[in-house]
Amino acid sequence: PKPVRQPERGEMAALAAREVILHVYDLHQGNSWLSPIGFGVFHTGLEIGGMEYSFSQEGIFKCAPRQAPPPAKFRESIVLGEHHGSHNEVSQIIREMRDEFAPGTYDLVRKNCNSFTNALSLRITGVPIPTWVNRAASVGSFFLGAMGGAGAPSSQPKNGEAGAAEGGGPDPRKQKRQLTEKQKDMLARIKKGGNGSSS
């Protein structure tokens, strides 16, 4: 009988199980009082094989684990599962996702970093990210409008005009807005009805 070929050490390492870890970052100081009622504005990145992948206005980018660029501030890590394939398989999945998560397609409500990490986790592990991570976006632009200054971290270094809009002047997305009476009433109702649990 033909001898069975044993995998070489390098091949075994390439196929070794790797933890898939969701790194969660705070994007707004209001998270300190929003988190107990099950809300918050968060950035996420998904670590696979020692590299963290995320999404911003510049498209899909990678960085060292737990080192997302400002204004993201690391909060916690959540193990979602394991990946039993090779690094090349991960790279292929990322390439396939670049069209959907292309530069310039980022949207704070409809297609944000959490949308990307959820899609990537489903491709890699079959497990979605926790729903509380993207709950603010699920509530919609009304809630995010109340938060004002929150924004996604950029994978590009800032220059002297980073805070200016394309046509000059301040970027309205970066300006902090005061809560209207209607928004205050909405948040008060959320506080009263929330139980602080995450799902």
Side-chain angles (χ1 to χ4, degrees):
K2 188 176 181 179
V4 178
R5 177 181 175 274
Q6 297 296 322
E8 297 180 3
R9 180 176 299 178
E11 293 174 321
M12 293 177 65
L15 297 175
R18 298 177 176 88
E19 283 189 330
V20 177
I21 308 171
L22 183 74
H23 297 304
V24 184
Y25 302 79
D26 286 318
L27 279 181
H28 196 280
Q29 59 185 5
N31 282 2
S32 60
W33 58 270
L34 285 169
S35 293
I37 61 172
F39 280 91
V41 182
F42 303 105
H43 168 75
T44 57
L46 199 67
E47 179 185 348
I48 310 168
M51 187 63 65
E52 182 174 327
Y53 300 89
S54 193
F55 174 63
S56 72
Q57 194 61 251
E58 288 80 31
I60 297 174
F61 69 94
K62 58 185 179 180
C63 65
R66 302 179 298 281
Q67 299 296 322
K73 183 178 180 181
F74 178 73
R75 179 185 182 87
E76 63 178 298
S77 296
I78 304 169
V79 177
L80 298 179
E82 290 184 339
H83 175 241
H84 296 271
S86 68
H87 175 74
N88 288 339
E89 290 176 351
V90 175
S91 298
Q92 177 61 34
I93 290 173
I94 296 296
R95 284 193 294 269
E96 292 172 359
M97 297 179 69
R98 287 192 184 280
D99 287 339
E100 180 182 358
F101 294 92
T105 64
Y106 181 95
D107 185 277
L108 195 58
V109 175
R110 299 174 182 86
K111 188 193 291 185
N112 56 33
C113 57
N114 305 319
S115 308
F116 168 76
T117 54
N118 186 64
L120 180 57
S121 180
L122 286 171
R123 290 284 300 270
I124 296 293
T125 69
V127 177
I129 68 174
T131 55
W132 61 264
V133 172
N134 207 34
R135 186 169 288 156
S138 299
V139 171
S141 59
F142 176 85
F143 180 79
L144 291 175
M147 296 307 299
S154 172
S155 59
Q156 301 295 327
K158 295 183 179 181
N159 55 36
E161 298 180 352
E166 184 175 344
D171 186 338
R173 294 173 300 177
K174 302 295 184 181
Q175 291 180 303
K176 188 172 183 180
R177 289 168 283 183
Q178 297 296 319
L179 294 175
T180 66
E181 291 302 318
K182 187 176 181 180
Q183 290 168 340
K184 288 179 181 179
D185 181 63
M186 174 66 76
L187 291 176
R189 292 183 183 181
I190 292 173
K191 285 183 180 181
K192 185 177 180 180
N195 57 16
S197 62
S198 300
S199 57

